[in-house]
Amino acid sequence: MSRTPTRLHVAADLRPGAVIDLTPAQTHYLGGVLRLAVGDSVGLFNGRDGDWTAILTVLDRRRGAAEAVRQTRPQREETGPWLLFAPLKKDRTDFLIEKAVEMGASVLWPVRTRHTQAGRINMDRLRARIVEAAEQCGRPGLPDLRDPATLESMLAAWDPARPLAVADESGSGRPFAAWIAGHAGPPPGLLIGPEGGFADAELDDLAGLPFVVRIFLGPRLLRAETAAVAGLACWQSLGGDWTRPPKGQDAP
Amino acid sequence: MSRTPTRLHVAADLRPGAVIDLTPAQTHYLGGVLRLAVGDSVGLFNGRDGDWTAILTVLDRRRGAAEAVRQTRPQREETGPWLLFAPLKKDRTDFLIEKAVEMGASVLWPVRTRHTQAGRINMDRLRARIVEAAEQCGRPGLPDLRDPATLESMLAAWDPARPLAVADESGSGRPFAAWIAGHAGPPPGLLIGPEGGFADAELDDLAGLPFVVRIFLGPRLLRAETAAVAGLACWQSLGGDWTRPPKGQDAP
């Protein structure tokens, strides 16, 4: 029985016979870590052409390449919520990114708020985390990683046709499931505040915007990464892609 | 303006005037880390008597104590899902425990399966993580931490009146939100498998049990801790305590 092929994200177009150059990191991973060899299969995807199986044609210390053989799964569009988050300390940001990819967020947008603690955001590291998480969870493509913005500029650029859900720590928000059930429109943005919470002036600004929906996420104080996963789960399970199993069955 | 008081879990009964001895760890935390002093307020809870405010009466290198003044919040019962999980590597288990507490799980039960990687489970460490997470998220009490059991013995001891939801990686499960919406009964158990998945024989055993519900948690492969948070979020948002904001409002 063959092992499940490793799945890698590549930039190149995928079609039968296409020879895809692997990055040095991918080459080292396949050869040095997994100890694959020429002739072994790998899975490839690029977010446009679906999932493909490919055969390694070159794998040595200097380079790696694979020849795409056939498509194993057609491209599927993903239209999950946008996740806007105040950056956290490194480990928790990495965790939040990984989970947001697993939970099908379509856009990841770091947003600086008044109480945001973290320093410079390492976008290369976030991109690497996104690719790894997408490869491992099997999603058809990568979420879009936006350049960091201040809360003010993000709100100024926000398309008002898309609701922006914000957890209301006062408990006055609307239960998120109830809002989702009544919502017919694009998936919302979900704005996750910093560990110190939003400043009063920021809450005033948010409350005044017509596209902002203040939501209730339960009686316990949630850490940012918990709120992100839980909020995305609410959406996916009620209004997103957790509602339709791929085989079309819904009996246990 | 006073700072938000620190909230500590204690074992002793709480009533006006009761003098509560603090543990050495609590004493060090309050005195050495937070640099509180005699006369400062702390919040105390024990899972039975609600939340109380207390005044520090002793705080030195050798001991600490606080006198309970008054109840600030009545005791609230929590009846969340049971979370049964195959132990993961230390950091991910700690994360799962912390999130399960934040998400209102009522019971946490480590379950050993055939593909469970981890070695000895450090129950003292898990108990400490539970207490910290409960203190910080504001929940009225601690979830019950069961002794580790094998999958077989857990299933043999399971009360069949409580459904046991298991994520079906084949995609044949029922969308969890749909099951929750149709369920009238106790909160389910949620069984999260090990990183290597369940063995075929284990899946056969599970499939044969009348209380097992195979659920669909979306088209992406979820890590164990992601599935735990997301599954708990589905329950809480549809059938649990995320449905009723404390102030009774549900308008944004």
Side-chain angles (χ1 to χ4, degrees):
Chain A
M1 181 183 303
S2 60
R3 61 184 285 283
T4 307
T6 300
R7 187 172 182 261
L8 297 178
H9 181 266
V10 297
D13 291 340
L14 292 162
R15 56 186 184 277
V19 175
I20 314 298
D21 288 325
L22 303 174
T23 66
Q26 289 171 333
T27 302
H28 171 74
Y29 177 61
L30 296 183
V33 176
L34 295 187
R35 301 208 177 277
L36 298 185
V38 168
D40 286 336
S41 298
V42 290
L44 301 178
F45 70 109
N46 59 18
R48 303 183 302 279
D49 300 322
D51 267 60
W52 285 68
T53 190
I55 304 287
L56 292 170
T57 53
V58 179
L59 193 66
D60 59 40
R61 277 202 161 79
R62 292 182 308 111
R63 58 178 288 252
E67 180 175 321
V69 177
R70 70 177 192 285
Q71 192 193 55
T72 55
R73 190 176 71 171
Q75 186 64 33
R76 186 167 57 79
E77 292 317 301
E78 288 185 300
T79 55
W82 293 34
L83 184 70
L84 298 95
F85 61 98
L88 313 166
K89 299 196 176 101
K90 172 179 174 295
D91 286 353
R92 286 190 183 269
T93 290
D94 284 359
F95 184 92
L96 185 149
I97 291 282
E98 179 185 280
K99 299 319 170 196
V101 173
E102 288 174 59
M103 291 302 298
S106 61
V107 173
L108 303 180
W109 197 348
V111 173
R112 292 195 187 282
T113 71
R114 194 159 311 176
H115 294 155
T116 298
Q117 298 278 339
R120 190 167 189 76
I121 299 167
N122 185 333
M123 295 292 279
D124 287 341
R125 193 187 86 240
L126 295 193
R127 264 183 282 270
R129 291 287 87 75
I130 286 171
V131 170
E132 286 171 16
E135 290 171 341
Q136 292 174 23
C137 77
R139 69 182 277 171
L142 310 181
D144 183 23
L145 175 64
R146 297 290 169 99
D147 287 331
T150 60
L151 179 65
E152 291 87 348
S153 64
M154 179 277 286
L155 292 173
W158 192 260
D159 176 3
R162 185 184 300 271
L164 183 61
V166 185
D168 184 338
E169 288 187 7
S170 74
S172 302
R174 185 138 187 244
F176 196 28
W179 178 82
I180 294 168
H183 172 64
L190 180 61
L191 174 60
I192 303 293
E195 300 200 3
F198 290 111
D200 287 347
E202 293 173 328
L203 291 171
D204 289 343
D205 287 348
L206 289 166
L209 291 164
F211 51 80
V212 166
V213 182
R214 281 177 296 155
I215 58 174
F216 174 67
L217 293 181
R220 288 162 295 275
L221 184 67
L222 302 181
R223 286 181 175 271
E225 64 275 16
T226 315
V229 177
L232 290 168
C234 288
W235 171 265
Q236 297 291 24
S237 64
L238 285 169
D241 60 20
W242 285 28
T243 57
R244 288 170 300 281
K247 294 178 199 271
Q249 299 178 28
D250 68 355
Chain B
M1 180 183 305
S2 60
R3 62 184 286 283
T4 308
T6 300
R7 186 172 182 261
L8 297 178
H9 181 266
V10 297
D13 291 341
L14 293 162
R15 57 187 184 277
V19 175
I20 313 297
D21 288 325
L22 303 174
T23 66
Q26 290 171 332
T27 303
H28 170 74
Y29 178 60
L30 296 183
V33 176
L34 297 187
R35 303 210 177 274
L36 298 185
V38 168
D40 285 336
S41 299
V42 291
L44 301 179
F45 70 108
N46 57 19
R48 303 183 301 280
D49 300 323
D51 268 63
W52 285 68
T53 190
I55 304 287
L56 291 169
T57 53
V58 180
L59 194 65
D60 59 40
R61 275 205 163 78
R62 293 183 305 113
R63 57 179 288 252
E67 181 175 322
V69 176
R70 70 176 193 283
Q71 193 193 54
T72 55
R73 191 176 69 173
Q75 186 63 34
R76 185 166 57 79
E77 291 317 302
E78 289 184 300
T79 55
W82 293 34
L83 183 71
L84 297 95
F85 62 98
L88 312 165
K89 299 197 177 98
K90 172 178 173 297
D91 285 354
R92 286 190 183 269
T93 291
D94 284 0
F95 184 92
L96 185 148
I97 291 284
E98 178 185 281
K99 298 318 169 197
V101 172
E102 289 175 59
M103 291 303 297
S106 61
V107 174
L108 303 178
W109 198 347
V111 173
R112 292 195 187 282
T113 71
R114 196 160 310 179
H115 295 154
T116 298
Q117 298 279 339
R120 188 164 190 77
I121 299 166
N122 186 333
M123 295 293 277
D124 287 341
R125 193 187 86 240
L126 295 193
R127 267 184 281 269
R129 290 287 85 76
I130 286 171
V131 170
E132 287 171 15
E135 289 171 342
Q136 291 175 23
C137 76
R139 70 181 276 171
L142 309 181
D144 183 21
L145 175 64
R146 296 290 167 98
D147 286 331
T150 60
L151 179 65
E152 290 85 351
S153 63
M154 180 276 287
L155 292 173
W158 192 260
D159 176 2
R162 185 184 299 272
L164 182 61
V166 186
D168 183 337
E169 288 187 6
S170 73
S172 302
R174 185 139 187 244
F176 196 28
W179 179 82
I180 293 169
H183 171 65
L190 180 62
L191 174 60
I192 304 292
E195 301 200 2
F198 291 109
D200 287 347
E202 293 173 328
L203 292 171
D204 290 344
D205 288 347
L206 289 166
L209 291 165
F211 52 80
V212 166
V213 182
R214 281 177 296 155
I215 59 173
F216 174 67
L217 292 182
R220 289 162 295 274
L221 186 65
L222 302 182
R223 285 181 175 271
E225 63 275 15
T226 314
V229 177
L232 290 168
C234 288
W235 172 266
Q236 296 291 25
S237 65
L238 285 168
D241 61 18
W242 285 30
T243 57
R244 290 170 299 283
K247 293 177 200 271
Q249 298 178 29
D250 66 355

